[in-house]
Amino acid sequence: MAILELRDLTKRFGETVAVDRFTLSVEKGEFVSLLGPSGCGKTTTLQMIAGFETPSGGTILLNGRDLAKVPARARGLGIVFQTYALFPHMTVEENVGFGLEMRKVPADERRRRIAQTLDLVHLSHLSGRYPRQMSGGQRQRVALARALVIEPELLLLDEPLSNLDAKLREEMQLELRRIQQEAGVTTLLVTHDQSEAMALSDRIAVMQGGRLIQEASPFDAYDRPANGFVSSFLGKSNAIPGHLEGGAAGTKLRCRELTLDGPASGETPGPVLISLRPERIEFTGEAEGIVAGRVSERIFLGDKWLFKVETGLGELLVVRRNSGRREPEVGEAVHLFWQAEHLRVLSAESAE
Amino acid sequence: MIGTRPWLLSAPALVLFLVMLVTPLIMTAVLSFNSFDFYGGIKPTFGLGNYADVLSDSYFYEIFGRTFMIALVTTVIAALIGTPQAYFMLRMHPFWRSVMILVVLGPLLISVVVRTLGWAILLGNNGVINEALRRFDMIERPIKMMYTSGGIVLALVHVMVPFMILAVWAALQRQDPATEKAAESLGAGPFTVFRRIVLPQAMPGILSGSLIVFSLSASAFATPAILGGRRVKVASTTVYDEFLNTLNWPLGAAIAIILLVAVLAIMVAWNRLVEKRFAGVFQ
Ligand SMILES: Nc1ncnc2c1ncn2[C@@H]1O[C@H](COP(=O)(O)OP(=O)(O)O)[C@@H](O)[C@H]1O
Ligand SMILES: [Mg+2]
């Protein structure tokens, strides 16, 4: 059964529609991410679920119960704020215990649950510290512990890792996933960071302009993006406009003056936008090459190389794993190859 | 070069500070050690006679006691009014907030004397308040408000509340508004949020505001002079009387120095206490 159900949730601020008929359901124990660019309405959606904003329309159901008339303090949700919002005048222990105190949990049980939760986030040794005396990553853990200790039915996280530096962010991603699974808490995360959403979630809901664009597993969202926006927002992508033609022996794709093998049939012929992931393109010999091109730029990224190649299809991004072999230099003539099955057809209307 | 530049840049302020504040202060201190008699006037002797006179006379204890009691009560009332006021202003719509700021700072724009005379008109035995109460048959005889400590406190609170509001306001603006939401999401009602989350974070502002209000109230002159007159004397009006009526300048100077030292001592002790209490919590 769905723990959380959003039905046609809408929020207007005067003329602007921040959230537009947003529908989503989150199952028990699931980790779902709302992913979208800044200003697409993620925070507003979360604030409505938390009870800090009143929806202009639609319903929010928690365990089948309509939350419209339930004030924020009675919803029993665990919330981790982007700024952590720790109480600066309370120690870690007092911060974590606040929610239990409000629930009038007896002192000895309170102590036990605080200790247990601090243990979960690996902070037991800092229970007497004040927030100001801690690093960003540690504060993050306190915020998480404070939200988890009340054993919420749903954990809401608003860009929880965006205030951390890159290295710490990666560590915390793993930690967050571990903690979420150990606590077994249903989680809704809001983020603009596609790699974060992919690393953490069971399911991603991609938002744009207040609307839900695609809802899928991270793998499917990446591999079968619903439209050009999703394909360019999730990782890097080559967008190739062309004309699809059906045929007995599979489809053909006409693009500029070239004709290529198209993806497997089943797609409607007509003008289309094709998405091709840069890591699915290989350098190859002239005989096997699908298109010829010339390397115009080459960037070394440590574990991989990023190339820009001028071809008859336009400029294509190519990503190659750094396997220690010699890679083409800038200005070198190259031939590119890919399996036709990696071409993804995005309907032409969705072209930006 | 780098070493001397800050000094050069702050030289004008420094000179002004020396000439206008330090010089009279030193002269007052020197004066307080001189002696005085009614026939010979001020004698350039050096002794602690004036201090001994003040500290051995219960009359002066009463005056200092009253002075600090008035300052203390004023501070407490200003904090009780100013803190919630600053919090409400923070949560107001920006338009009403600017209106409120104008209302709050209004008293500071009017001369102390004018404002205090206004209070005199309100508080007098035949003043506006007593007249109104009499008209509605709520009292037989006028309530005495002029020439009482209560009247002085009332008028001082009126002047001091803006300082308190500004200090608390500054502290509240530093707090993360999400802390209130966090407390709410954990199950706290509005009153609990104010008492457990907002108030402790406003504390540094309340404490520094109290420091300002207390020292200004303890050394206030115009308000107690007009509303207290000769009957309800405080330290500053006593100094004034010694200088201008009795012409015993050395005694007046000694009272002034004692007031200064006492206020300074209270401020330092207060600050110490605050720093110890909040070490580690607030930077
Ligand atoms: N209180 C508000 N008043 C007016 N407009 C708002 C308010 N909050 C958010 N918005 C607008 O709603 C849109 C979505 O905002 P938000 O939910 O914060 O986006 P995100 O969290 O995805 O970056 C933005 O265009 C923003 O300007
Ligand atoms: Mg946001």
Side-chain angles (χ1 to χ4, degrees):
Chain A
M1 189 190 107
I3 289 259
L4 178 75
E5 248 190 286
L6 309 178
R7 287 192 197 146
D8 291 324
L9 194 59
T10 301
K11 179 69 186 182
R12 281 181 290 271
F13 292 108
E15 290 293 289
T16 51
V17 184
V19 178
D20 191 6
R21 282 163 292 147
F22 190 82
T23 297
L24 180 77
S25 75
V26 180
E27 301 295 321
K28 191 166 174 52
E30 232 186 345
F31 195 127
V32 177
S33 292
L34 290 186
L35 174 66
S38 186
C40 75
K42 307 179 297 288
T43 297
T44 308
T45 306
L46 212 67
Q47 298 270 326
M48 285 191 284
I49 300 170
F52 297 125
E53 292 281 3
T54 318
S56 314
T59 43
I60 305 170
L61 301 175
L62 186 69
N63 266 330
R65 189 169 64 124
D66 190 347
L67 289 185
K69 299 240 156 47
V70 184
R73 68 170 183 278
R75 295 192 179 190
L77 305 177
I79 305 174
V80 175
F81 294 82
Q82 190 168 359
T83 54
Y84 312 147
L86 297 180
F87 309 134
H89 54 290
M90 297 185 194
T91 61
V92 168
E93 210 168 351
E94 289 164 347
N95 263 282
V96 175
F98 188 82
L100 299 176
E101 223 181 300
M102 293 300 115
R103 283 166 175 67
K104 305 209 161 44
V105 174
D108 48 344
E109 193 196 334
R110 202 156 73 207
R111 257 193 306 279
R112 189 180 56 75
R113 278 168 70 177
I114 293 171
Q116 195 182 341
T117 314
L118 284 181
D119 203 40
L120 177 69
V121 299
H122 297 328
L123 271 187
S124 305
H125 57 298
L126 296 180
S127 63
R129 290 263 182 103
Y130 285 99
R132 291 256 159 95
Q133 304 165 323
M134 308 178 66
S135 71
Q138 290 167 338
R139 288 183 208 179
Q140 165 73 67
R141 286 161 196 261
V142 179
L144 207 52
R146 187 179 65 181
L148 284 174
V149 77
I150 59 172
E151 292 172 357
E153 283 185 288
L154 179 66
L155 181 65
L156 302 176
L157 307 164
D158 191 354
E159 313 249 359
L161 307 180
S162 63
N163 282 334
L164 304 176
D165 57 59
K167 183 146 172 50
L168 198 56
R169 190 154 56 222
E170 272 180 29
E171 280 174 33
M172 274 310 290
Q173 278 179 12
L174 295 174
E175 272 292 283
L176 195 57
R177 185 66 177 156
R178 173 187 70 79
I179 292 166
Q180 188 264 341
Q181 281 178 342
E182 265 181 52
V185 61
T186 314
T187 304
L188 185 62
L189 168 91
V190 152
T191 181
H192 65 266
D193 181 341
Q194 46 97 15
S195 65
E196 190 172 302
M198 287 200 277
L200 289 168
S201 331
D202 298 315
R203 216 142 47 85
I204 296 180
V206 184
M207 275 182 95
Q208 185 192 17
R211 270 175 297 131
L212 177 69
I213 303 297
Q214 185 174 13
E215 195 190 326
S217 74
F219 187 85
D220 283 345
Y222 183 83
D223 211 48
R224 303 180 183 284
N227 65 14
F229 169 76
V230 178
S231 93
S232 61
F233 194 71
L234 286 176
K236 292 188 173 62
S237 166
N238 293 299
I240 309 165
H243 197 95
L244 194 67
E245 287 168 358
T251 57
K252 288 283 174 205
L253 182 70
R254 273 200 295 115
C255 176
R256 297 198 185 170
E257 50 273 14
L258 294 163
T259 302
L260 320 166
D261 282 340
S265 51
E267 306 284 350
T268 342
V272 290
L273 188 70
I274 295 285
S275 150
L276 177 59
R277 293 292 181 186
E279 72 276 8
R280 308 273 162 89
I281 307 178
E282 296 164 40
F283 293 120
T284 184
E286 191 173 354
E288 293 171 339
I290 295 174
V291 288
R294 189 171 295 281
V295 176
S296 63
E297 229 176 287
R298 182 174 91 155
I299 298 167
F300 181 54
L301 296 170
D303 58 339
K304 57 194 177 217
W305 293 89
L306 178 68
F307 299 90
K308 281 186 183 166
V309 183
E310 291 296 342
T311 71
L313 294 172
E315 190 184 72
L316 292 182
L317 278 179
V318 179
V319 170
R320 298 311 305 158
R321 193 168 62 84
N322 176 12
S323 54
R325 281 202 313 261
R326 196 200 79 90
E327 297 290 345
E329 311 265 349
V330 172
E332 210 172 308
V334 290
H335 297 273
L336 304 180
F337 172 81
W338 57 82
Q339 306 282 349
E341 67 195 73
H342 292 319
L343 297 175
R344 296 275 169 254
V345 176
L346 311 166
S347 64
E349 300 89 74
S350 71
E352 280 142 291
Chain B
M1 273 315 283
I2 286 168
T4 56
R5 178 170 278 175
W7 290 102
L8 284 176
L9 285 174
S10 54
L14 220 57
V15 168
L16 199 71
F17 179 74
L18 285 174
V19 172
M20 306 290 284
L21 192 70
V22 176
T23 317
L25 210 59
I26 292 172
M27 288 173 70
T28 308
V30 169
L31 192 61
S32 72
F33 295 115
N34 294 350
S35 62
F36 173 86
D37 74 67
F38 279 103
Y39 305 104
I42 301 167
K43 299 235 176 64
T45 55
F46 189 87
L48 293 169
N50 297 313
Y51 289 97
D53 282 352
V54 175
L55 295 176
S56 63
D57 192 340
S58 68
Y59 171 73
F60 290 113
Y61 279 101
E62 193 188 317
I63 285 173
F64 276 107
R66 180 183 301 126
T67 306
F68 289 123
M69 194 41 105
I70 287 175
L72 184 69
V73 174
T74 303
T75 306
V76 170
I77 296 177
L80 288 178
I81 297 175
T83 307
Q85 175 78 22
Y87 180 58
F88 294 141
M89 274 169 57
L90 197 74
R91 312 205 75 177
M92 268 180 187
H93 184 274
F95 171 77
W96 291 112
R97 187 187 303 161
S98 358
V99 171
M100 275 314 290
I101 288 176
L102 212 64
V103 171
V104 164
L105 297 187
L108 297 181
L109 303 176
I110 304 165
S111 147
V112 191
V113 177
V114 173
R115 194 174 35 206
T116 312
L117 285 173
W119 278 106
I121 292 170
L122 282 175
L123 301 178
N125 280 355
N126 297 313
V128 176
I129 294 175
N130 274 321
E131 279 299 325
L133 290 177
R134 220 173 348 221
R135 182 137 327 148
F136 293 110
D137 282 329
M138 293 169 80
I139 49 169
E140 305 243 309
R141 284 187 292 135
I143 302 169
K144 188 166 160 52
M145 288 180 286
M146 274 299 277
Y147 310 118
T148 62
S149 297
I152 296 175
V153 167
L154 199 60
L156 278 177
V157 165
H158 181 221
V159 201
M160 296 301 167
V161 160
F163 292 106
M164 187 62 82
I165 290 177
L166 289 180
V168 176
W169 171 264
L172 285 178
Q173 280 201 312
R174 276 197 302 272
Q175 85 165 10
D176 179 357
T179 54
E180 287 175 55
K181 286 188 179 178
E184 208 181 326
S185 76
L186 292 167
F191 182 71
T192 311
V193 170
F194 181 76
R195 193 176 58 85
R196 296 285 307 274
I197 307 301
V198 177
L199 204 54
Q201 294 191 75
M203 218 22 127
I206 298 174
L207 297 176
S208 61
S210 300
L211 213 60
I212 299 169
V213 171
F214 184 85
S215 55
L216 286 179
S217 302
S219 54
F221 173 73
T223 304
I226 296 173
L227 295 179
R230 285 285 150 65
R231 271 177 272 180
V232 185
K233 281 173 88 169
V234 296
S236 59
T237 52
T238 310
V239 173
Y240 178 86
D241 281 345
E242 291 301 335
F243 270 80
L244 292 182
N245 295 331
T246 328
L247 295 181
N248 188 347
W249 287 29
L251 185 67
I255 299 172
I257 294 293
I258 292 173
L259 178 66
L260 179 74
V261 170
V263 169
L264 271 180
I266 291 171
M267 283 175 73
V268 169
W270 185 238
N271 215 22
R272 250 323 134 67
L273 196 81
V274 169
E275 269 173 14
K276 211 157 87 185
R277 174 79 179 71
F278 292 103
V281 184
F282 300 105
Q283 285 151 330

